[in-house]
Amino acid sequence: MTIAIQIKGVPEEVRDVLAKRAAERGQSTQQYLRGLLEREYRRERNKRLFEDMHIQRGTTMPADEMVEFIRSGRD
């Protein structure tokens, strides 16, 4: 089941930049924004997973540092 989200009061210049970024990626503004929301969801979900691992395994590295460490290894 999908849900519609409506955001009111977005300044024109913000909308224009988002539309431009979407077009540069060959996406509609809706596709681009959905992707941003999904990435934010995954980021938060992954942060919680790392926090759970920290509690279960007793690591000393905070979740934010662990995420950055993994990201730096990907680059």
Side-chain angles (χ1 to χ4, degrees):
M1 174 188 231
T2 60
I3 299 171
I5 296 175
Q6 183 178 32
I7 302 172
K8 296 180 181 183
V10 176
E12 266 188 66
E13 60 270 12
V14 172
R15 185 216 43 212
D16 293 346
V17 168
L18 293 171
K20 181 181 177 194
R21 288 185 184 171
E24 289 169 352
R25 290 168 176 75
Q27 297 177 314
S28 68
T29 304
Q30 179 177 335
Q31 290 170 319
Y32 178 73
L33 291 172
R34 185 177 30 240
L36 287 177
L37 292 171
E38 289 171 350
R39 282 191 295 279
E40 184 62 27
Y41 160 76
R42 287 190 303 271
R43 183 177 298 121
E44 185 61 30
R45 180 197 61 200
N46 291 344
K47 181 179 174 187
R48 279 187 265 124
L49 288 172
F50 283 121
E51 288 170 349
D52 289 347
M53 287 173 48
H54 174 74
I55 291 168
Q56 292 175 5
R57 297 185 183 208
T59 61
T60 57
M61 185 182 293
D64 291 342
E65 288 180 31
M66 193 179 304
V67 169
E68 287 306 312
F69 176 75
I70 291 170
R71 284 187 181 144
S72 67
R74 289 179 185 164
D75 297 335

